[in-house]
Amino acid sequence: MTRTIKFYETTLRDGEQTPGINYFAEEKLEIARALADMGFDTLDCGFPISGEPEFEAVQLIARNVHNAEICAIARAFPGDIDRAWEAVKDATHSAVQPFVSTSPLHREAKLGKTRPEVLELARTAVARTRAYTDHADFALEDTTRTEHDFILEVVDAIMKEGVRFVTICDTVGFAMPWEFGELIDELRREFPTIRISAHCHDDLGLAVANAITALRHGAERVDTCFNGLGERAGNAATEEVVMAVRTRRKDMDLDVAVDTTQIIPTSRLIARLSGMQPQWTKAVVGANAFAHGGGIHQDGVLKDARTYEIMRPEDIGLPAHERRMHVGKLSGRAALNAQLAELGYTLTPEQTSRAFELVKHVLGKKKVLEEMDLRRCAETAINPSAAVEALANEGVVAEGAVAERTAG
Ligand code: MN
Protein backbone atom coordinates (compact mmCIF):
# COMPACT_ATOMS: atom_id res chain seq x y z
CA MET A 1 0.00 0.00 0.00
CA THR A 2 1.21 3.49 -0.83
CA ARG A 3 2.48 5.31 2.22
CA THR A 4 2.18 9.10 2.49
CA ILE A 5 5.40 10.59 3.80
CA LYS A 6 5.50 13.36 6.37
CA PHE A 7 7.53 16.55 6.33
CA TYR A 8 9.29 18.39 9.08
CA GLU A 9 9.73 21.59 7.09
CA THR A 10 12.63 23.52 8.57
CA THR A 11 12.95 26.50 6.20
CA LEU A 12 12.18 28.76 9.15
CA ARG A 13 14.81 27.24 11.45
CA ASP A 14 17.71 25.40 9.77
CA GLY A 15 16.90 27.49 6.68
CA GLU A 16 17.28 30.68 8.66
CA GLN A 17 20.66 29.45 9.88
CA THR A 18 21.84 29.91 6.29
CA PRO A 19 24.62 32.46 6.70
CA GLY A 20 23.23 35.72 5.37
CA ILE A 21 19.53 35.19 6.10
CA ASN A 22 17.56 37.19 8.64
CA TYR A 23 13.77 37.08 8.50
CA PHE A 24 11.64 39.59 10.35
CA ALA A 25 8.78 38.12 12.39
CA GLU A 26 6.11 39.13 9.86
CA GLU A 27 8.15 37.51 7.10
CA LYS A 28 8.44 34.29 9.07
CA LEU A 29 4.68 34.34 9.49
CA GLU A 30 4.16 34.87 5.75
CA ILE A 31 6.42 31.92 4.94
CA ALA A 32 4.79 29.75 7.63
CA ARG A 33 1.35 30.45 6.13
CA ALA A 34 2.54 29.49 2.64
CA LEU A 35 4.11 26.25 3.94
CA ALA A 36 1.07 25.33 6.02
CA ASP A 37 -1.27 26.00 3.08
CA MET A 38 0.81 23.68 0.92
CA GLY A 39 0.15 20.90 3.42
CA PHE A 40 3.45 20.35 5.20
CA ASP A 41 2.85 18.50 8.46
CA THR A 42 5.22 20.14 10.92
CA LEU A 43 6.87 23.53 10.62
CA ASP A 44 10.12 23.88 12.57
CA CYS A 45 9.80 27.58 13.29
CA GLY A 46 12.86 28.42 15.32
CA PHE A 47 14.98 28.30 18.42
CA PRO A 48 13.18 30.44 21.02
CA ILE A 49 15.96 30.47 23.65
CA SER A 50 18.27 32.21 21.17
CA GLY A 51 16.68 35.59 21.83
CA GLU A 52 13.55 37.65 22.28
CA PRO A 53 12.89 38.38 18.56
CA GLU A 54 13.11 34.69 17.74
CA PHE A 55 10.81 33.79 20.64
CA GLU A 56 8.27 36.38 19.48
CA ALA A 57 8.42 35.22 15.86
CA VAL A 58 7.76 31.61 16.84
CA GLN A 59 4.93 32.70 19.13
CA LEU A 60 3.41 34.84 16.37
CA ILE A 61 3.33 31.81 14.08
CA ALA A 62 1.96 29.58 16.85
CA ARG A 63 -0.90 31.97 17.45
CA ASN A 64 -1.78 32.53 13.80
CA VAL A 65 -1.10 29.36 11.83
CA HIS A 66 -3.62 26.65 12.61
CA ASN A 67 -3.29 24.26 9.69
CA ALA A 68 0.14 22.79 10.51
CA GLU A 69 1.95 21.61 13.60
CA ILE A 70 4.16 24.37 14.97
CA CYS A 71 7.45 23.16 16.43
CA ALA A 72 10.35 24.84 18.16
CA ILE A 73 13.74 23.39 18.97
CA ALA A 74 15.68 23.41 22.22
CA ARG A 75 19.02 22.22 23.51
CA ALA A 76 18.59 19.41 26.00
CA PHE A 77 18.49 21.87 28.89
CA PRO A 78 15.44 22.59 31.07
CA GLY A 79 15.51 26.36 30.40
CA ASP A 80 15.60 25.82 26.62
CA ILE A 81 12.73 23.34 26.70
CA ASP A 82 10.57 25.57 28.90
CA ARG A 83 11.16 28.52 26.58
CA ALA A 84 10.41 26.46 23.45
CA TRP A 85 7.16 25.21 24.97
CA GLU A 86 6.22 28.73 26.04
CA ALA A 87 6.63 29.88 22.43
CA VAL A 88 4.51 27.14 20.82
CA LYS A 89 1.97 26.30 23.50
CA ASP A 90 -0.77 28.55 22.05
CA ALA A 91 -0.70 26.75 18.72
CA THR A 92 -3.64 24.60 17.64
CA HIS A 93 -1.06 21.84 17.01
CA SER A 94 2.29 22.16 18.75
CA ALA A 95 5.51 20.19 19.23
CA VAL A 96 8.93 20.64 20.80
CA GLN A 97 12.12 19.05 19.62
CA PRO A 98 15.13 19.05 21.96
CA PHE A 99 18.46 17.83 20.61
CA VAL A 100 21.90 16.82 21.79
CA SER A 101 25.07 15.88 19.96
CA THR A 102 25.87 12.21 20.30
CA SER A 103 29.05 11.76 18.26
CA PRO A 104 32.41 11.37 20.03
CA LEU A 105 33.80 14.44 18.25
CA HIS A 106 30.90 16.63 19.34
CA ARG A 107 30.83 15.14 22.86
CA GLU A 108 34.51 15.78 23.41
CA ALA A 109 35.37 18.86 21.34
CA LYS A 110 32.12 20.77 21.64
CA LEU A 111 30.23 19.68 24.74
CA GLY A 112 33.02 18.36 26.96
CA LYS A 113 30.69 15.59 28.11
CA THR A 114 30.96 11.84 28.56
CA ARG A 115 28.62 9.26 27.06
CA PRO A 116 26.67 8.79 30.33
CA GLU A 117 26.27 12.57 30.64
CA VAL A 118 24.96 12.92 27.08
CA LEU A 119 22.64 9.96 27.60
CA GLU A 120 21.23 11.56 30.74
CA LEU A 121 20.72 14.90 28.95
CA ALA A 122 18.74 13.15 26.21
CA ARG A 123 16.63 11.16 28.65
CA THR A 124 15.77 14.07 30.92
CA ALA A 125 15.08 16.37 27.95
CA VAL A 126 12.46 14.01 26.60
CA ALA A 127 10.99 13.52 30.08
CA ARG A 128 10.70 17.28 30.57
CA THR A 129 9.17 17.84 27.14
CA ARG A 130 6.69 15.01 27.75
CA ALA A 131 5.52 16.80 30.87
CA TYR A 132 4.23 19.52 28.51
CA THR A 133 3.17 17.60 25.42
CA ASP A 134 2.87 14.18 23.79
CA HIS A 135 4.47 15.74 20.72
CA ALA A 136 7.97 15.41 22.11
CA ASP A 137 10.46 14.67 19.33
CA PHE A 138 14.17 14.30 19.88
CA ALA A 139 17.13 14.80 17.55
CA LEU A 140 20.49 13.07 17.91
CA GLU A 141 22.78 15.69 16.40
CA ASP A 142 25.60 14.20 14.30
CA THR A 143 24.03 10.73 14.56
CA THR A 144 25.88 9.46 11.50
CA ARG A 145 29.28 9.93 13.16
CA THR A 146 28.16 8.31 16.41
CA GLU A 147 29.13 4.81 17.64
CA HIS A 148 26.21 2.52 16.80
CA ASP A 149 26.02 1.04 20.27
CA PHE A 150 25.66 4.53 21.71
CA ILE A 151 22.93 5.45 19.20
CA LEU A 152 21.01 2.37 20.34
CA GLU A 153 21.55 3.26 23.99
CA VAL A 154 20.22 6.80 23.52
CA VAL A 155 17.27 5.70 21.40
CA ASP A 156 16.36 3.05 23.97
CA ALA A 157 16.41 5.63 26.77
CA ILE A 158 14.34 8.26 24.95
CA MET A 159 11.81 5.70 23.72
CA LYS A 160 11.28 4.61 27.30
CA GLU A 161 10.54 8.26 28.13
CA GLY A 162 7.85 8.39 25.43
CA VAL A 163 9.57 10.24 22.60
CA ARG A 164 7.42 10.62 19.47
CA PHE A 165 9.77 11.06 16.47
CA VAL A 166 13.45 10.18 16.75
CA THR A 167 15.36 12.42 14.37
CA ILE A 168 18.39 10.75 12.86
CA CYS A 169 20.74 13.50 11.76
CA ASP A 170 23.38 13.52 9.10
CA THR A 171 24.27 16.92 10.49
CA VAL A 172 27.44 17.35 8.44
CA GLY A 173 26.31 15.62 5.25
CA PHE A 174 28.83 12.82 5.71
CA ALA A 175 26.73 9.69 5.17
CA MET A 176 26.55 7.65 2.00
CA PRO A 177 23.02 6.56 1.04
CA TRP A 178 23.66 2.84 1.62
CA GLU A 179 25.11 3.48 5.10
CA PHE A 180 22.19 5.70 5.96
CA GLY A 181 19.75 3.02 4.81
CA GLU A 182 21.54 0.38 6.90
CA LEU A 183 21.38 2.61 9.99
CA ILE A 184 17.62 3.07 9.54
CA ASP A 185 17.24 -0.72 9.09
CA GLU A 186 19.22 -1.38 12.26
CA LEU A 187 17.12 1.04 14.29
CA ARG A 188 13.86 -0.43 13.02
CA ARG A 189 15.09 -3.93 13.76
CA GLU A 190 16.09 -3.02 17.33
CA PHE A 191 13.04 -0.84 17.99
CA PRO A 192 10.04 -2.07 15.98
CA THR A 193 7.82 0.81 17.15
CA ILE A 194 10.34 3.59 16.42
CA ARG A 195 9.15 6.56 14.33
CA ILE A 196 12.05 8.07 12.43
CA SER A 197 12.56 11.49 10.93
CA ALA A 198 15.65 11.91 8.72
CA HIS A 199 17.64 15.14 8.81
CA CYS A 200 20.12 15.30 5.95
CA HIS A 201 22.63 17.94 4.89
CA ASP A 202 24.08 18.46 1.45
CA ASP A 203 27.84 18.86 2.02
CA LEU A 204 28.53 16.12 -0.52
CA GLY A 205 25.42 16.75 -2.59
CA LEU A 206 23.72 13.66 -1.14
CA ALA A 207 21.06 15.19 1.11
CA VAL A 208 18.08 14.31 -1.09
CA ALA A 209 19.49 10.88 -1.94
CA ASN A 210 19.95 10.16 1.77
CA ALA A 211 16.48 11.47 2.62
CA ILE A 212 14.85 9.32 -0.07
CA THR A 213 16.89 6.32 1.07
CA ALA A 214 15.72 6.84 4.65
CA LEU A 215 12.10 6.94 3.47
CA ARG A 216 12.57 3.77 1.44
CA HIS A 217 14.00 2.09 4.53
CA GLY A 218 11.00 3.04 6.65
CA ALA A 219 11.59 6.56 7.96
CA GLU A 220 8.16 8.22 8.22
CA ARG A 221 9.30 11.77 7.95
CA VAL A 222 12.03 13.93 6.41
CA ASP A 223 13.44 17.28 7.46
CA THR A 224 13.69 19.61 4.47
CA CYS A 225 14.26 23.25 3.53
CA PHE A 226 12.87 25.08 0.52
CA ASN A 227 15.44 26.04 -2.13
CA GLY A 228 17.92 23.76 -0.33
CA LEU A 229 18.68 26.43 2.26
CA GLY A 230 20.30 25.64 5.60
CA GLU A 231 23.66 25.55 7.33
CA ARG A 232 26.67 25.44 4.93
CA ALA A 233 25.60 23.60 1.76
CA GLY A 234 22.04 23.39 3.05
CA ASN A 235 19.49 20.73 3.86
CA ALA A 236 17.65 18.29 1.64
CA ALA A 237 15.59 20.57 -0.59
CA THR A 238 11.86 20.42 0.09
CA GLU A 239 10.89 20.79 -3.57
CA GLU A 240 13.30 18.05 -4.64
CA VAL A 241 12.05 15.50 -2.12
CA VAL A 242 8.44 16.38 -2.94
CA MET A 243 8.90 16.04 -6.69
CA ALA A 244 11.17 12.99 -6.50
CA VAL A 245 8.54 11.13 -4.49
CA ARG A 246 5.63 12.45 -6.57
CA THR A 247 7.31 11.75 -9.92
CA ARG A 248 8.36 8.20 -8.97
CA ARG A 249 5.52 7.40 -6.58
CA LYS A 250 4.43 4.25 -8.37
CA ASP A 251 7.92 2.76 -8.15
CA MET A 252 8.49 3.86 -4.57
CA ASP A 253 5.07 3.07 -3.10
CA LEU A 254 5.36 6.44 -1.41
CA ASP A 255 3.53 9.68 -2.05
CA VAL A 256 3.26 13.21 -0.74
CA ALA A 257 0.16 15.02 0.48
CA VAL A 258 1.23 18.52 -0.47
CA ASP A 259 -0.04 20.93 -3.09
CA THR A 260 2.80 20.78 -5.61
CA THR A 261 1.33 23.62 -7.68
CA GLN A 262 2.47 26.03 -4.96
CA ILE A 263 6.14 25.01 -5.25
CA ILE A 264 7.19 27.83 -7.55
CA PRO A 265 5.22 30.61 -5.80
CA THR A 266 6.54 29.47 -2.38
CA SER A 267 10.11 29.08 -3.65
CA ARG A 268 9.96 32.60 -5.06
CA LEU A 269 8.49 34.01 -1.85
CA ILE A 270 11.35 32.48 0.12
CA ALA A 271 13.94 33.61 -2.45
CA ARG A 272 12.61 37.16 -2.18
CA LEU A 273 12.46 37.28 1.63
CA SER A 274 15.78 35.49 2.10
CA GLY A 275 17.53 37.50 -0.59
CA MET A 276 18.95 34.26 -2.00
CA GLN A 277 18.06 33.10 -5.48
CA PRO A 278 18.44 29.40 -6.24
CA GLN A 279 21.27 28.62 -8.66
CA TRP A 280 20.12 28.57 -12.30
CA THR A 281 20.54 24.83 -12.67
CA LYS A 282 18.89 24.03 -9.31
CA ALA A 283 16.53 21.05 -9.60
CA VAL A 284 12.82 21.87 -9.86
CA VAL A 285 12.99 25.58 -8.99
CA GLY A 286 16.10 26.86 -10.80
CA ALA A 287 15.59 29.38 -13.60
CA ASN A 288 16.87 26.78 -16.08
CA ALA A 289 15.01 23.76 -14.69
CA PHE A 290 12.62 23.92 -17.66
CA ALA A 291 14.93 25.63 -20.19
CA HIS A 292 16.44 23.91 -23.19
CA GLY A 293 19.67 24.94 -24.91
CA GLY A 294 20.68 22.23 -27.38
CA GLY A 295 19.03 22.09 -30.80
CA ILE A 296 18.23 18.39 -30.56
CA HIS A 297 16.61 18.85 -27.14
CA GLN A 298 14.63 21.89 -28.29
CA ASP A 299 13.31 20.08 -31.33
CA GLY A 300 12.23 17.18 -29.10
CA VAL A 301 10.53 19.36 -26.50
CA LEU A 302 8.68 21.36 -29.15
CA LYS A 303 7.34 18.08 -30.60
CA ASP A 304 6.54 16.50 -27.22
CA ALA A 305 7.78 17.99 -23.95
CA ARG A 306 8.01 14.53 -22.36
CA THR A 307 11.06 13.82 -24.52
CA TYR A 308 13.21 15.91 -22.17
CA GLU A 309 10.99 16.84 -19.23
CA ILE A 310 9.97 14.37 -16.51
CA MET A 311 7.75 16.86 -14.71
CA ARG A 312 5.09 19.14 -16.10
CA PRO A 313 5.67 22.84 -15.39
CA GLU A 314 2.01 23.27 -14.41
CA ASP A 315 2.37 20.60 -11.71
CA ILE A 316 4.86 22.77 -9.84
CA GLY A 317 3.06 26.02 -10.59
CA LEU A 318 5.46 27.24 -13.27
CA PRO A 319 3.61 29.33 -15.88
CA ALA A 320 3.78 27.59 -19.28
CA HIS A 321 5.40 30.61 -20.92
CA GLU A 322 8.34 30.29 -18.54
CA ARG A 323 9.42 27.05 -20.19
CA ARG A 324 12.26 28.51 -22.19
CA MET A 325 13.80 27.66 -25.53
CA HIS A 326 17.13 29.33 -25.19
CA VAL A 327 18.43 30.70 -28.47
CA GLY A 328 22.17 30.32 -28.24
CA LYS A 329 25.25 29.00 -29.95
CA LEU A 330 24.07 25.39 -29.74
CA SER A 331 20.38 25.88 -30.37
CA GLY A 332 18.50 24.94 -33.52
CA ARG A 333 16.08 26.35 -36.05
CA ALA A 334 13.02 24.93 -34.28
CA ALA A 335 13.74 26.95 -31.13
CA LEU A 336 14.55 30.06 -33.14
CA ASN A 337 11.28 29.78 -35.03
CA ALA A 338 9.35 29.23 -31.81
CA GLN A 339 11.03 32.23 -30.19
CA LEU A 340 10.43 34.47 -33.22
CA ALA A 341 6.79 33.36 -33.41
CA GLU A 342 6.41 34.52 -29.81
CA LEU A 343 7.79 37.91 -30.84
CA GLY A 344 5.23 38.04 -33.67
CA TYR A 345 7.36 37.02 -36.69
CA THR A 346 6.42 34.40 -39.23
CA LEU A 347 9.35 33.45 -41.44
CA THR A 348 9.57 31.38 -44.61
CA PRO A 349 12.10 28.53 -44.54
CA GLU A 350 14.62 30.67 -46.49
CA GLN A 351 14.13 33.60 -44.14
CA THR A 352 14.57 31.27 -41.17
CA SER A 353 17.85 30.05 -42.63
CA ARG A 354 19.05 33.64 -43.04
CA ALA A 355 17.95 34.60 -39.51
CA PHE A 356 19.65 31.49 -38.17
CA GLU A 357 22.95 32.46 -39.82
CA LEU A 358 22.65 36.00 -38.49
CA VAL A 359 21.96 34.74 -34.95
CA LYS A 360 25.05 32.52 -35.04
CA HIS A 361 27.08 35.44 -36.37
CA VAL A 362 25.91 37.75 -33.56
CA LEU A 363 26.72 35.05 -30.99
CA GLY A 364 30.29 35.02 -32.23
CA LYS A 365 30.56 38.61 -30.97
CA LYS A 366 28.14 38.74 -28.07
CA LYS A 367 27.69 36.45 -25.05
CA VAL A 368 23.94 36.76 -24.73
CA LEU A 369 21.27 37.42 -27.32
CA GLU A 370 18.76 40.05 -26.27
CA GLU A 371 15.25 40.45 -27.61
CA MET A 372 16.34 43.41 -29.76
CA ASP A 373 19.10 41.30 -31.33
CA LEU A 374 16.57 38.63 -32.20
CA ARG A 375 14.22 41.21 -33.71
CA ARG A 376 17.00 42.66 -35.81
CA CYS A 377 18.07 39.25 -37.06
CA ALA A 378 14.46 38.46 -38.00
CA GLU A 379 13.88 41.81 -39.70
CA THR A 380 17.14 41.63 -41.61
CA ALA A 381 16.25 38.12 -42.74
CA ILE A 382 12.82 39.23 -43.93
CA ASN A 383 13.92 42.46 -45.59
CA PRO A 384 17.65 43.18 -45.52
CA SER A 385 17.53 46.75 -46.91
CA ALA A 386 14.62 47.96 -44.74
CA ALA A 387 16.26 46.55 -41.64
CA VAL A 388 19.50 48.32 -42.32
CA GLU A 389 17.62 51.60 -42.69
CA ALA A 390 15.76 51.00 -39.45
CA LEU A 391 19.07 50.27 -37.76
CA ALA A 392 20.55 53.49 -39.05
CA ASN A 393 17.55 55.52 -37.90
CA GLU A 394 17.26 54.26 -34.34
CA GLY A 395 20.70 53.15 -33.21
CA VAL A 396 23.74 54.06 -35.22
CA VAL A 397 22.69 57.60 -36.10
CA ALA A 398 21.66 58.37 -32.52
CA GLU A 399 24.97 57.08 -31.17
CA GLY A 400 26.84 59.14 -33.72
CA ALA A 401 24.95 62.24 -32.62
CA VAL A 402 25.81 61.60 -28.99
CA ALA A 403 29.46 61.17 -29.89
CA GLU A 404 29.43 64.48 -31.77
CA ARG A 405 27.87 66.34 -28.88
CA THR A 406 30.35 64.87 -26.41
CA ALA A 407 33.24 65.77 -28.65
CA GLY A 408 31.91 69.32 -29.12
MN1 MN B 1 20.68 20.84 10.39
Side-chain angles (χ1 to χ4, degrees):
M1 209 186 84
T2 303
R3 177 161 61 90
T4 302
I5 66 165
K6 290 184 186 299
F7 284 86
Y8 180 86
E9 223 291 340
T10 186
T11 293
L12 292 170
R13 200 275 302 165
D14 212 321
E16 198 176 13
Q17 284 174 232
T18 309
I21 294 184
N22 169 25
Y23 298 122
F24 302 132
E26 290 293 336
E27 295 174 336
K28 285 188 87 149
L29 179 60
E30 194 179 348
I31 293 170
R33 285 202 164 112
L35 295 172
D37 289 347
M38 280 186 74
F40 293 107
D41 307 273
T42 299
L43 308 185
D44 177 5
C45 293
F47 189 24
I49 196 75
S50 66
E52 200 55 31
E54 178 76 341
F55 176 89
E56 284 170 9
V58 175
Q59 191 173 58
L60 183 72
I61 297 168
R63 288 177 174 171
N64 289 284
V65 178
H66 308 291
N67 51 344
E69 183 177 84
I70 306 306
C71 184
I73 64 158
R75 288 169 300 181
F77 301 139
D80 279 42
I81 294 163
D82 297 349
R83 200 73 182 134
W85 173 248
E86 191 63 28
V88 301
K89 69 173 190 204
D90 296 338
T92 306
H93 311 281
S94 53
V96 171
Q97 183 179 99
F99 62 91
V100 73
S101 283
T102 51
S103 69
L105 185 62
H106 279 223
R107 290 193 315 256
E108 287 152 27
K110 190 178 87 169
L111 301 175
K113 293 202 183 297
T114 62
R115 269 171 62 150
E117 285 169 333
V118 168
L119 179 68
E120 190 56 12
L121 278 174
R123 197 189 62 71
T124 53
V126 172
R128 192 173 189 97
T129 310
R130 283 286 276 120
Y132 291 123
T133 174
D134 291 346
H135 298 169
D137 299 344
F138 192 83
L140 286 74
E141 195 184 345
D142 206 15
T143 325
T144 50
R145 293 192 296 174
T146 302
E147 311 93 322
H148 281 214
D149 67 315
F150 190 50
I151 298 174
L152 299 182
E153 218 180 312
V154 173
V155 170
D156 183 55
I158 60 179
M159 285 190 66
K160 283 179 179 146
E161 293 296 339
V163 71
R164 183 181 61 163
F165 276 95
V166 177
T167 300
I168 300 302
C169 302
D170 190 29
T171 302
V172 291
F174 180 73
M176 290 290 131
W178 63 89
E179 296 167 342
F180 205 56
E182 283 164 13
L183 175 59
I184 304 291
D185 285 344
E186 184 181 353
L187 286 163
R188 294 188 65 225
R189 215 167 34 238
E190 294 292 325
F191 308 100
T193 60
I194 193 171
R195 303 182 71 187
I196 295 174
S197 196
H199 184 97
C200 304
H201 275 268
D202 209 31
D203 297 69
L204 295 173
L206 294 169
V208 171
N210 280 329
I212 299 284
T213 301
L215 291 167
R216 290 272 291 165
H217 284 253
E220 273 182 64
R221 194 172 79 173
V222 277
D223 298 17
T224 61
C225 281
F226 246 95
N227 297 350
L229 295 174
E231 285 278 6
R232 305 180 314 281
N235 288 71
T238 303
E239 66 279 7
E240 293 180 24
V241 174
V242 168
M243 288 316 291
V245 171
R246 173 53 60 83
T247 302
R248 299 297 306 273
R249 63 187 184 278
K250 290 199 186 78
D251 307 295
M252 285 197 216
D253 257 351
L254 299 172
D255 204 354
V256 291
V258 299
D259 179 2
T260 63
T261 66
Q262 292 307 303
I263 286 178
I264 291 292
T266 304
S267 166
R268 289 180 181 175
L269 170 73
I270 291 162
R272 178 165 61 80
L273 297 180
S274 66
M276 286 189 190
Q277 293 298 326
Q279 72 192 51
W280 282 43
T281 53
K282 167 83 182 57
V284 187
V285 298
N288 276 3
F290 289 83
H292 305 274
I296 295 165
H297 290 231
Q298 294 170 335
D299 181 55
V301 171
L302 288 165
K303 286 172 176 156
D304 184 337
R306 291 172 302 177
T307 53
Y308 289 99
E309 289 179 4
I310 58 168
M311 293 168 269
R312 299 188 307 172
E314 58 266 37
D315 290 342
I316 61 162
L318 184 74
H321 69 265
E322 290 192 35
R323 172 193 280 136
R324 278 191 314 118
M325 292 300 148
H326 174 74
V327 176
K329 190 174 81 170
L330 303 175
S331 64
R333 277 155 223 261
L336 178 62
N337 250 335
Q339 196 84 353
L340 291 178
E342 252 175 55
L343 295 175
Y345 298 98
T346 316
L347 276 66
T348 65
E350 300 85 77
Q351 289 169 343
T352 302
S353 289
R354 273 207 295 279
F356 192 67
E357 290 313 314
L358 286 164
V359 162
K360 300 280 161 162
H361 179 74
V362 173
L363 284 166
K365 315 269 180 201
K366 240 187 131 187
K367 289 278 184 196
V368 180
L369 212 59
E370 287 163 68
E371 186 184 313
M372 188 48 75
D373 300 320
L374 268 177
R375 286 186 183 281
R376 282 178 178 160
C377 290
E379 277 157 26
T380 309
I382 293 165
N383 186 350
S385 57
V388 169
E389 260 171 52
L391 204 69
N393 287 337
E394 68 173 68
V396 179
V397 173
E399 269 170 38
V402 171
E404 261 170 43
R405 272 203 301 278
T406 314

